[in-house]
Amino acid sequence: MYKFVIEGGIPLKGEVAVSGSKNAALPILCSSILSDGICRYTNIPRLKDIDTIIKLLSILGVEIKMDENNVVSVNPGRIKAFEAPYELVKSMRASILILGPLLARYKQAKVSLPGGCAIGVRPIDLHLKALIKMGADIDVSHGYVLAKTSGLKGERIIFDKPTVGGTENIMMAATLAKGTTVIEGAAREPEIKDLADALNGMGARIEGAGESTVVIEGVDSLSGVEHRVIPDRIEAGTFMAAAAITGGLVEIKGVNVNHLAAVVEKLKEMGVGIVEKGDASVYVDGRGGVGPIDVETAPYPGFPTDMQAQIMALACVANGASSITENIFENRFMHVPELMRMGAQLEEKGNTVLVKGISRLQGASVMATDLRASASLVLAGLNAKGRTELRRIYHLERGYEDLDGKLRMLGAGIERQVGGI
Ligand code: EPZ
């Protein structure tokens, strides 16, 4: 087990480059199952979740490897196995994203139910209902989804609420279905548009990805592709919050600010200086401190739930009272008791947390529980007076490439050490 040891109070200074998007790379790697040819993906982040999906695809018989330049080469060949085992799926629920591609190309799949995770039950009912409508026979038994089809057919799919994974699974399934599929009420996250760009590069015919209506015209087969994954908007937002919470001045490079409009707007409202530079870089100036903010998470283009914990950490040291409301997941406040151990004045009221800003947090020993909660505790430690020890950082290493190394480059007093239960 590893922990982070953080000496807080150092304003971050300098420049940091954002890695490729975890939440774009995961579905894009799964989409290689659909291909007849070699796929080459660049700007893939070096993360535990990426290792997991590479292991899963290897188990299916896909030839896949990641080189030292963050390039993943895939030769899907003829897949010989069609099962995603519980051990892998429970460690990373995005494994469910092989369901659509396996059904579309091989007409069968056996995927463990993802089960819940720290932030909520996270069902996949919307995925399954849509696949059944497209002609899949689906049986859920003994903790597994058993799916088969004589051939998927294009259908009109209406999601009664936006689901990122559901939109991705159906979009991938529809690429090889007979006829045209229209997804209404599709999720609009940039990662969905990036997946569609990769699929269209393989010869798919997808229009409208990134909007709430997506049209996919089925084709007979898909070729190989070379695709560069978009930057990770949540990592970029996390570094923006880090500059703000330490009163620093940071240049974040290789970021698509358009993917973060709702976050930038809220940070500016709090008094953070954010100036876009031409070449996909943005200056973040936190030297003036921050004022309070009211935030409600919402599907894209609203404020992302994946930035909720991070902006809460920042609100803890704002000069005034803030409110943070989580509308996407039912249990995404695991960071609240840990932040309170650091002196944060927080009060949970249903799916809202009321924050009374204080001048500075206090270092403490705290526990990571899920990916973004861990990030918020790192931010809190960077601000806090004294030493913070963050345990169980394996949660964090699922979704941030070399976070401590990048923060040290910005002057942070953070070390990764063995220890911590
Ligand atoms: C994706 O998860 C992201 N993960 C999550 O990021 C992100 O928080 C989430 O989208 C929302 O933006 C990846 O892209 C790998 P959803 P996903 O389906 O697809 C409910 C991170 O920190 N729902 O959009 O699982 C669900 O319970 C992770 O990087 C159903 O009810 O999210 C949730 O309340 C965490 N039935 C809401 O919809 C379904 O069939 C949104 O879930 C599917 C979802």
Side-chain angles (χ1 to χ4, degrees):
M1 288 265 197
Y2 286 88
K3 63 184 178 183
F4 279 160
V5 178
I6 304 169
E7 295 295 340
I10 303 168
L12 300 186
K13 291 241 180 322
E15 59 184 60
V16 65
V18 168
S19 297
S21 163
K22 164 178 86 78
N23 290 350
L26 292 172
I28 285 172
L29 291 177
C30 292
S31 74
S32 64
I33 289 171
L34 295 161
S35 162
D36 282 342
I38 308 279
C39 299
R40 189 167 179 278
Y41 302 113
T42 58
N43 199 34
I44 299 289
R46 197 168 295 282
L47 304 169
K48 291 272 183 304
D49 275 7
I50 297 295
D51 295 343
T52 303
I53 206 80
I54 288 176
K55 198 186 304 177
L56 172 58
L57 291 169
S58 308
I59 287 174
L60 300 181
V62 173
E63 271 176 51
I64 179 168
K65 68 178 180 2
M66 185 164 183
D67 72 14
E68 66 287 353
N69 302 314
N70 290 37
V71 174
V72 170
S73 306
V74 187
N75 179 358
R78 289 300 300 169
I79 280 180
K80 304 170 201 50
F82 308 97
E83 178 174 341
Y86 173 66
E87 297 64 40
L88 273 181
V89 179
K90 81 171 172 2
S91 68
M92 193 198 56
R93 48 178 297 98
S95 311
I96 195 67
L97 293 172
I98 65 167
L99 182 57
L102 281 178
L103 264 180
R105 181 115 192 272
Y106 296 98
K107 301 184 171 47
Q108 60 176 308
K110 180 180 176 187
V111 183
S112 167
L113 277 171
C117 72
I119 64 177
V121 173
R122 301 183 73 182
I124 56 166
D125 55 309
L126 301 176
H127 302 231
L128 302 183
K129 213 164 72 179
L131 289 169
I132 288 166
K133 187 168 181 184
M134 293 174 74
D137 297 322
I138 292 195
D139 180 27
V140 179
S141 66
H142 303 291
Y144 275 83
V145 173
L146 307 166
K148 62 182 187 313
T149 178
S150 55
L152 294 177
K153 55 190 188 339
E155 279 292 347
R156 184 168 175 238
I157 303 294
I158 302 173
F159 281 132
D160 51 23
K161 67 174 154 184
T163 157
V164 172
T167 303
E168 291 166 342
N169 241 335
I170 299 314
M171 203 163 73
M172 290 189 281
T175 56
L176 297 179
K178 282 261 168 294
T180 301
T181 299
V182 179
I183 304 175
E184 292 179 17
R188 300 172 55 192
E189 274 69 3
E191 292 77 30
I192 289 166
K193 172 77 172 59
D194 201 32
L195 172 61
D197 290 345
L199 288 166
N200 283 340
M202 297 160 76
R205 293 204 192 122
I206 303 171
E207 287 184 11
E211 296 308 318
S212 48
T213 300
V214 183
V215 181
I216 307 104
E217 199 185 316
V219 295
D220 294 337
S221 67
L222 294 176
S223 64
V225 68
E226 167 127 4
H227 180 81
R228 180 179 174 81
V229 158
I230 56 171
D232 193 308
R233 62 192 168 100
I234 304 301
E235 184 194 11
T238 305
F239 277 112
M240 288 180 180
I245 205 168
T246 59
L249 177 62
V250 172
E251 181 183 3
I252 303 173
K253 299 174 82 72
V255 58
N256 183 334
V257 178
N258 301 327
H259 293 166
L260 272 167
V263 174
V264 168
E265 187 189 320
K266 289 294 180 184
L267 290 174
K268 282 182 174 175
E269 222 179 292
M270 295 177 87
V272 182
I274 298 182
V275 177
E276 287 178 58
K277 267 188 70 188
D279 55 348
S281 289
V282 62
Y283 276 111
V284 183
D285 186 351
R287 291 174 296 179
V290 290
I293 193 72
D294 294 333
V295 173
E296 292 232 16
T297 65
Y300 193 88
F303 190 91
T305 173
D306 292 351
M307 277 296 299
Q308 177 258 105
Q310 297 94 310
I311 204 156
M312 186 185 294
L314 182 57
C316 290
V317 294
N319 64 346
S322 302
S323 73
I324 313 278
T325 300
E326 172 58 56
N327 293 314
I328 307 293
F329 290 110
E330 65 270 25
N331 185 34
R332 205 167 194 177
F333 288 150
M334 309 275 275
H335 40 289
V336 168
E338 299 302 306
L339 287 169
M340 292 172 76
R341 286 178 48 72
M342 299 178 74
Q345 303 288 305
L346 305 175
E347 187 190 349
E348 260 189 71
K349 284 184 177 268
N351 67 333
T352 294
V353 171
L354 301 176
V355 187
K356 208 157 83 195
I358 58 173
S359 57
R360 196 159 172 212
L361 294 162
Q362 304 147 16
S365 287
V366 287
M367 189 79 77
T369 51
D370 59 272
L371 172 55
R372 306 304 176 180
S374 320
S376 83
L377 294 170
V378 170
L379 297 177
L382 293 172
N383 169 276
K385 186 172 172 44
R387 166 177 291 209
T388 296
E389 290 207 356
L390 173 61
R391 288 158 165 70
R392 297 188 182 173
I393 57 169
Y394 58 85
H395 288 289
L396 198 100
E397 292 174 335
R398 294 187 47 181
Y400 287 93
E401 180 175 1
D402 190 21
L403 182 63
D404 55 312
K406 291 182 178 180
L407 287 169
R408 272 194 301 277
M409 292 288 284
L410 294 172
I414 181 170
E415 292 300 326
R416 182 172 185 269
Q417 295 179 5
V418 177
I421 36 123

